[in-house]
Amino acid sequence: MNLETIKALPGRYCNSLHTYSRWLTREVNIGDVPMGGNNPIRIQSMTTTDTMDTAGTVAQTIRMVEAGCDYVRITAPSVKEAQNLAEIKKQLRQKGYSVPLVADIHFTPNAAEVAARIVEKVRINPGNYADKKRFNELVYTEAEYQNELERIFKKFTPLVNICKEYGTAMRIGTNHGSLSDRIMSQYGDTPRGMVESAMEFIRMCESLNYYNLVISMKSSNPQVMVQAYRMLVETMVAEGMNYPLHLGVTEAGDGEDGRIKSAVGIGTLLEDGLGDTVRVSLTEEPEFEAPVAIALVERYSSRAKEERQKAKGTSIGAEDLSPFTFHLSPSLHSPYEYKKRETYEANAFIGGSMVPRVVIDLSAKNLKDPAILADAGYLYSPLLDKYSMADQSVDFVYLADELPSFTFPGNLKKLYNYKTWSFLIDKKNCHPVFGLEEYHASVEKDTALNLVKIKAIDLETQAFKQLVFDETLVFVLETDATHGMADQRECFFYLKKNGIDVPVIVRRSYAFNGARRDERVVESAISNQSSIAKSSISALRSTDSITELQLYAATDFGALLFDGFGDGIWIDAPEIPSKIVTSTAFGILQATRSRISKTEYISCPSCGRTLFDLQITTQMIRSRTSHLKGLKIGIMGCIVNGPGEMADADYGYVGAGPDKITLYRGKEVVKKNVSAALALDELIGIIKNDGNWIEPETILA
Ligand code: SF4
């Protein structure tokens, strides 16, 4: 199969795997800010105040609108909070804010029925709308399953009727961590179970002639989330549906980790044209979420335009569901399960079953100073004349044509441009990087590793076809395309289809020019008449280059890694400090769970149910456990949703009441109602008793 044939193949879950093309969904009315259809991708977030604190909730909502939110969600845990939404809405309208409000409902149909008469949209969780989660392993006969559905239909119908009467929209928001016992019994804790959980409720709505729906498939594991959304789209298309998609990764955490984890999930879907609204969920103040969501989304307003120009005025085909009829061969691409592309192990170091390797470019740094290797994760001690390495020490540094004047650590490999490499007297741990033609013309090759740079355009050349795959060869895959992820994915399809098992390092280059670049994004937002309100332009401007690198690299590399593509990653970003480039690379590998180098925190963004200060608590827990590589710790604000939402965490720290923390091992309660002052020590004690504790220490190279 040649590259042109591969380019012509449409995907199963999106309009095109090759050209940026947004999936056209049904337009849904939410107050006076419609979603889906040809509307811009909307931005939203959720308040963290107590819903009974009217003044606080109004003030926070206004800050969120100023930061760029098109919709604001507020929790309504019971009827009294649902009723107070009327006062919150009244005060917002009096202050001139017409932002549509969304009530967040778990477990309480009566609160939903009150809220649906007041706000513009209600969010229900199909896993707990009419079910108490019992975590029981139940077995249902076909008849019992149907009876359950009928019971839920009776409970759910009044809400649908109210929504129809009041013109209220509804989000059917499935969460991976809170599937009903019924769904768990039939499908398990799987993307298919998540899809079916929503489909049951969608079918009920349609049987009542109610279509004002938005759907979400969230998980704290971005890979599960991506698979579930893809499967949802394919399932909806098969049933003739095209409801708008609300994208989000739950419990993403804070800071760099939270941004990267959100971007690998949300960005991967946006790359394939999926998504009508985005909520980035950070354990930070909610007004910090919108600029991140805006930066993720705005990348596509200019891309759509460029792809349209490239297509010379032809329609990009979002109008028709028919492209979904062709399926890529599952051996070429299975979008619903992770399977790493099979490659050989080159020099017992890269490819095969090895973790993805990390390359950074230090060629422009001061190579007279050994301390510069701290940027690559190697700390130099002048006293001992020794380096120490850690879990985030890179595998290769690219030095181009620059020669360092100090000795490198033995386990760090140096990459040189071929000509410079050929003149080296001591080539130990040094490997050449070639252009394709240069590789053929070279008189000397390395006996260990030869890296050859390729792009999509090279794949059908004689030079490429004449390559001998001798297990020292590793490709460095580059791209100049605007829709670069898809361009590189095509290359992987090509390699796979043609049985080429050479390991591939994916390389992407990012040019940032500080404020001037940010201005370009702002200009693009304005000229594309995006959803961004004038008031939010300042928020957009505040997205700095470092954040943009984290978001864009996480999107571009994450989307490929989720599909099993890539034996190494190489981020080029000359304007960004190398230390940040290194931590971004390891953050992406951690978020895609392809190389674990640190503790993972699954912390909720907090809301009106939260029982302690999540930001402070998360920092406190992080400060004592951040060396526990590979452990997943859930930090949840409430006992109502927390245990379900923390999904596959190894340990959980969950608010159970004022100054009461309940500690979990997986889904098992280990200690109930511990005072907050003692809870972290108790948690560490449990980890120690389980044999999962290690003392913080540095590993010497
Ligand atoms: S887990 Fe956190 S965000 Fe979710 S409902 Fe509880 S407090 Fe709110």
Side-chain angles (χ1 to χ4, degrees):
M1 191 182 282
N2 66 24
L3 197 61
E4 279 315 302
T5 317
I6 286 174
K7 277 177 193 286
L9 299 179
R12 304 166 69 167
Y13 61 88
C14 60
N15 287 342
S16 170
L17 289 169
H18 317 291
T19 308
Y20 178 74
S21 169
R22 192 168 157 206
W23 183 47
L24 188 74
T25 53
R26 165 193 287 268
E27 185 176 88
V28 166
N29 293 317
I30 305 167
D32 56 7
V33 185
M35 183 199 296
N38 289 314
N39 291 295
I41 300 170
R42 304 294 189 188
I43 307 298
Q44 62 173 294
S45 184
M46 185 168 175
T47 56
T48 57
T49 47
D50 181 341
T51 308
M52 295 311 291
D53 172 7
T54 307
T57 304
V58 167
Q60 193 175 59
T61 300
I62 291 171
R63 290 200 297 278
M64 290 160 70
V65 173
E66 299 291 348
C69 285
D70 295 305
Y71 313 110
V72 171
R73 183 156 49 112
I74 303 171
T75 188
S78 73
V79 168
K80 84 176 160 48
E81 284 88 357
Q83 285 164 338
N84 200 46
L85 291 172
E87 186 56 29
I88 292 167
K89 184 172 171 178
K90 191 176 104 194
Q91 293 196 16
L92 282 167
R93 301 298 181 257
Q94 280 168 352
K95 290 175 191 288
Y97 290 88
S98 60
V99 58
L101 300 179
V102 185
D104 195 61
I105 305 290
H106 293 271
F107 296 108
T108 46
N110 52 356
E113 289 164 25
V114 171
R117 294 179 165 94
I118 299 168
V119 294
E120 285 76 11
K121 183 170 147 212
V122 286
R123 176 272 168 122
I124 59 136
N125 178 342
N128 62 29
Y129 185 73
D131 288 295
K132 282 263 172 293
K133 183 82 183 147
R134 293 179 295 264
F135 295 106
N136 287 342
E137 285 196 20
L138 303 175
V139 179
Y140 293 83
T141 63
E142 182 58 33
E144 285 167 341
Y145 203 93
Q146 284 311 317
N147 285 345
E148 269 289 284
L149 287 180
E150 277 165 34
R151 179 184 68 79
I152 289 164
F153 183 71
K154 278 196 194 118
K155 276 207 152 186
F156 185 47
T157 297
L159 176 65
V160 174
N161 287 336
I162 293 165
C163 288
K164 281 169 70 177
E165 186 185 341
Y166 284 79
T168 309
M170 182 189 295
R171 168 158 67 99
I172 297 176
T174 300
N175 273 12
H176 181 218
S178 54
L179 298 175
S180 66
D181 293 331
R182 178 183 66 263
I183 288 288
M184 290 288 281
S185 76
Q186 193 92 342
Y187 303 97
D189 188 8
T190 60
R192 171 56 66 199
M194 293 170 69
V195 171
E196 282 307 314
S197 173
M199 291 304 295
E200 284 180 350
F201 278 70
I202 300 174
R203 292 182 197 116
M204 289 182 216
C205 289
E206 290 204 339
S207 74
L208 294 164
N209 295 318
Y210 175 66
Y211 305 96
N212 222 17
L213 297 174
V214 179
I215 319 295
S216 65
M217 297 276 119
K218 296 195 191 180
S219 170
S220 62
N221 178 339
Q223 184 153 52
V224 170
M225 169 261 190
V226 165
Q227 290 169 354
Y229 276 100
R230 289 173 170 178
M231 205 176 270
L232 170 73
V233 174
E234 190 184 21
T235 308
M236 285 205 293
V237 169
E239 299 198 22
M241 302 169 181
N242 62 345
Y243 292 108
L245 302 175
H246 165 126
L247 304 186
V249 173
T250 54
E251 285 76 42
D254 58 356
E256 177 189 80
D257 288 352
R259 282 158 180 76
I260 290 176
K261 199 169 177 184
S262 300
V264 294
I266 295 167
T268 294
L269 295 162
L270 290 172
E271 282 285 307
D272 281 330
L274 303 180
D276 299 280
T277 181
V278 167
R279 191 262 168 120
V280 170
S281 220
L282 301 173
T283 309
E284 297 176 19
E285 291 304 311
E287 55 268 35
F288 292 169
E289 296 179 341
V292 177
I294 291 168
L296 278 172
V297 162
E298 273 310 306
R299 211 178 178 201
Y300 300 93
S301 54
S302 54
R303 187 172 303 180
K305 215 158 126 188
E306 283 177 43
E307 290 285 339
R308 245 179 251 124
Q309 278 162 0
K310 235 168 63 185
K312 297 193 182 83
T314 56
S315 157
I316 299 183
E319 298 76 9
D320 187 357
L321 299 181
S322 61
F324 290 91
T325 53
F326 188 96
H327 288 192
L328 274 175
S329 152
S331 65
L332 191 58
H333 180 235
S334 174
Y336 311 127
E337 59 180 350
Y338 175 77
K339 190 164 180 287
K340 189 174 180 294
R341 172 179 160 258
E342 285 177 18
T343 56
Y344 56 69
E345 226 172 69
N347 192 33
F349 192 72
I350 180 166
S353 56
M354 316 293 274
V355 292
R357 299 303 181 183
V358 174
V359 187
I360 67 159
D361 184 345
L362 291 184
S363 61
K365 303 293 174 187
N366 175 7
L367 294 176
K368 292 192 176 96
D369 179 6
I372 193 63
L373 289 188
D375 287 3
Y378 295 80
L379 291 180
Y380 180 66
S381 159
L383 207 62
L384 301 172
D385 189 25
K386 234 179 165 178
Y387 292 95
S388 60
M389 65 181 292
D391 291 318
Q392 296 206 355
S393 302
V394 308
D395 307 290
F396 295 96
V397 288
Y398 175 61
L399 300 178
D401 301 309
E402 304 301 319
L403 301 178
S405 55
F406 57 90
T407 309
F408 268 47
N411 37 8
L412 176 58
K413 297 185 183 304
K414 287 170 275 182
L415 300 176
Y416 289 98
N417 292 337
Y418 164 65
K419 277 206 180 107
T420 300
W421 174 83
S422 67
F423 290 119
L424 294 177
I425 295 169
D426 180 6
K427 291 188 168 64
K428 189 161 177 261
N429 268 339
C430 301
H431 308 287
V433 180
F434 299 88
L436 184 53
E437 298 289 353
E438 189 180 38
Y439 182 70
H440 284 296
S442 62
V443 285
E444 187 186 8
K445 294 197 173 54
D446 191 12
T447 52
L449 288 174
N450 294 286
L451 281 72
V452 176
K453 293 186 282 183
I454 57 165
K455 291 181 180 168
I457 200 168
D458 295 319
L459 295 181
E460 304 237 296
T461 60
Q462 278 309 311
F464 187 82
K465 288 182 178 160
Q466 283 165 1
L467 281 172
V468 177
F469 307 127
D470 67 358
E471 304 208 355
T472 64
L473 183 65
V474 172
F475 290 137
V476 176
L477 180 61
E478 302 176 322
T479 179
D480 302 321
T482 315
H483 196 31
M485 187 285 292
D487 182 64
Q488 293 185 314
R489 187 169 55 188
E490 272 163 21
C491 296
F492 280 107
F493 290 158
Y494 179 93
L495 297 178
K496 225 173 156 179
K497 191 66 196 166
N498 290 287
I500 299 170
D501 58 352
V502 178
V504 174
I505 295 171
V506 180
R507 183 181 188 184
R508 288 295 301 260
S509 299
Y510 300 90
F512 296 101
N513 191 12
R516 272 186 50 217
R517 189 206 172 275
D518 295 340
E519 279 308 312
R520 279 211 317 276
V521 177
V522 175
E523 291 306 322
S524 146
I526 296 166
S527 69
N528 284 299
Q529 296 181 327
S530 83
S531 63
I532 298 170
K534 277 207 175 70
S535 56
S536 71
I537 295 295
S538 62
L540 182 55
R541 285 197 171 106
S542 74
T543 312
D544 58 57
S545 302
I546 288 174
T547 305
E548 287 188 11
L549 174 76
Q550 290 163 346
L551 299 178
Y552 298 165
T555 295
D556 297 333
F557 288 95
L560 293 172
L561 289 163
F562 281 148
D563 280 339
F565 297 145
D567 301 281
I569 68 175
W570 179 343
I571 302 173
D572 263 340
E575 295 92 359
I576 305 289
S578 319
K579 209 180 184 122
I580 303 278
V581 175
T582 299
S583 68
T584 301
F586 280 101
I588 293 167
L589 295 176
Q590 174 96 11
T592 53
R593 299 197 179 180
S594 37
R595 179 169 175 175
I596 302 300
S597 59
K598 51 187 169 180
T599 318
E600 183 169 339
Y601 297 95
I602 302 169
S603 58
C604 81
S606 88
C607 72
R609 291 180 190 263
T610 311
L611 293 160
F612 53 80
D613 187 320
L614 256 156
Q615 293 176 46
I616 292 174
T617 306
T618 302
Q619 288 312 323
M620 188 178 70
I621 295 175
R622 190 190 285 275
S623 72
R624 297 198 40 204
T625 59
S626 63
H627 62 291
L628 300 175
K629 171 184 158 187
L631 220 60
K632 298 195 277 298
I633 301 179
I635 307 161
M636 298 288 141
C638 77
I639 200 92
V640 183
N641 291 322
E645 303 292 329
M646 66 192 179
D648 59 351
D650 300 303
Y651 295 96
Y653 180 109
V654 179
D659 192 34
K660 287 196 178 81
I661 306 297
T662 293
L663 301 171
Y664 287 74
R665 178 189 298 112
K667 298 236 178 279
E668 171 205 354
V669 174
V670 186
K671 287 207 167 161
K672 273 188 177 171
N673 301 333
V674 182
S675 151
L678 303 174
L680 179 53
D681 286 332
E682 293 277 2
L683 177 69
I684 290 171
I686 295 167
I687 297 173
K688 282 184 176 167
N689 282 343
D690 290 349
N692 289 329
W693 179 263
I694 48 167
E695 293 303 327
E697 61 184 15
T698 313
I699 304 156
L700 284 183

